[in-house]
Amino acid sequence: MEFMSDMLSGTDAGKPSLFEIVAQHKMSELLEPALRHVTSVYAQRYPRYLVRVLNWHEEVYAALMLLVERHYLRNYGGSFTEHFYGTKRVRTRKIGGDGALTRGDVWRSLVFLVGLPLAKARLDQRYERSTGGEAARLLGGAFAQQSEPDDPVQAGWRGKAQAAWRVAVRTFWKYYPHANCAYHLATALYYVAYMFDRTDYNSPWLHLLGLQVRRLSAADYRAMDARGPASSGLAAPANGSVLRATRNLVARLLTGGLDVLRVALPLSIFFYRFLEWWYRSDFHKRVQQMPIPPAPMPPKPHPDGVGVPADRTLCPLCKAPRTNPAMAPTGYVFCYPCIHRRLVDVGTCPVTLAKADSVAIRKLYADS
């Protein structure tokens, strides 16, 4: 795989392959629905606490990712998924020969890593609601909700604002599909250009920011080891106060928890895939299956009942070889006419004298 990555990346060993870039983006796209699924499952158990979180899931997720992405951009020079795949962001225009990210680069990167996906998700939801979603696309425009409000336009500045809002809504309905298409088309074009070494930027947003994605080198890993644990903006110099000590403790715990994501995420993915395989495999079904119990012992013959011949091929009633064999509910086998007549007339098994019904007779089929 390393050979393929270097070959596809040309002579520049520090340039990630397109497969690595796509894997980073796919991983970033899968984090949000995975967290939504976990939240929805626990919201059914604890609706009092988690229903509101589920209703504002996009905003809550954006706040969490803002914290995570800022931590990794400040301490490792790349987003969470970029650092997970061993890459970082470097400035195209280096400052003093150093391509490290500045504070402005971090915040501008956060706008496109967190703010842009949040805005696009909300715009997609708005457009889906206004156009009727899948029902309108499958069953026709009767399900669409693109209806103008019937309220009369008010006079004054409120009327102007209402008219401007209607114009904005109509413009959104008309041009948002084209803007969405341009968004995805620009991403695809940059992928193609990046694959054929026509550009060093794998997305239009990195081109706009003047940042490139590069592989972490051995020097980068040595620098991380020499630097030690990542720092936090919440930490402050100790001055002997309990409040400052508590603040630094929280900062260390938060920073350590964010760093643990590098190990916890792949382990959780592996554990989830293992559980998925386990519950779909035959091993899980075999463990869940109860062992087959042994066959019950036949009821003992009654002392006043008909004796069972030593030759098992003979009918206990007529003492002749069985013809058209049939089994009584007690498990003993007779000729069908003999046992049927007995159960209709007496209603008991001739061997055990247990109550039996002719409806429960079972025909036995044997090879001649």
Side-chain angles (χ1 to χ4, degrees), residues 8 32 60 103 129 153 158 169 227 249 270 285 293 310:
L8 292 174
E32 189 271 337
V60 174
R103 185 176 182 180
R129 288 196 299 266
V153 178
R158 291 186 178 180
V169 170
R227 185 182 57 193
L249 177 62
F270 170 78
K285 297 178 182 178

Side-chain angles (χ1 to χ4, degrees), residues 15 41 51 105 119 126 129-130 164 168 203 210 226 243 295 307 311 344 346 351:
K15 181 180 179 181
V41 170
V51 166
D105 294 329
R126 175 69 181 180
R129 288 196 299 266
S130 63
S203 75
L243 183 61
D311 188 356
V344 169
V346 182
V351 177

Side-chain angles (χ1 to χ4, degrees), residues 146-206:
Q146 298 182 4
S147 58
E148 294 289 343
D150 298 330
D151 299 336
V153 178
Q154 302 178 8
W157 64 271
R158 291 186 178 180
K160 294 180 180 180
Q162 186 178 4
W165 173 254
R166 292 182 179 182
V167 172
V169 170
R170 287 194 298 266
T171 305
F172 175 75
W173 288 339
K174 183 176 181 180
Y175 293 106
Y176 182 73
H178 304 286
N180 190 40
C181 178
Y183 174 88
H184 292 287
L185 182 61
T187 304
L189 289 177
Y190 266 83
Y191 276 170
V192 175
Y194 184 83
M195 181 174 60
F196 289 101
D197 291 329
R198 298 298 181 183
T199 180
D200 292 330
Y201 304 96
N202 59 71
S203 75
W205 324 121
L206 289 177

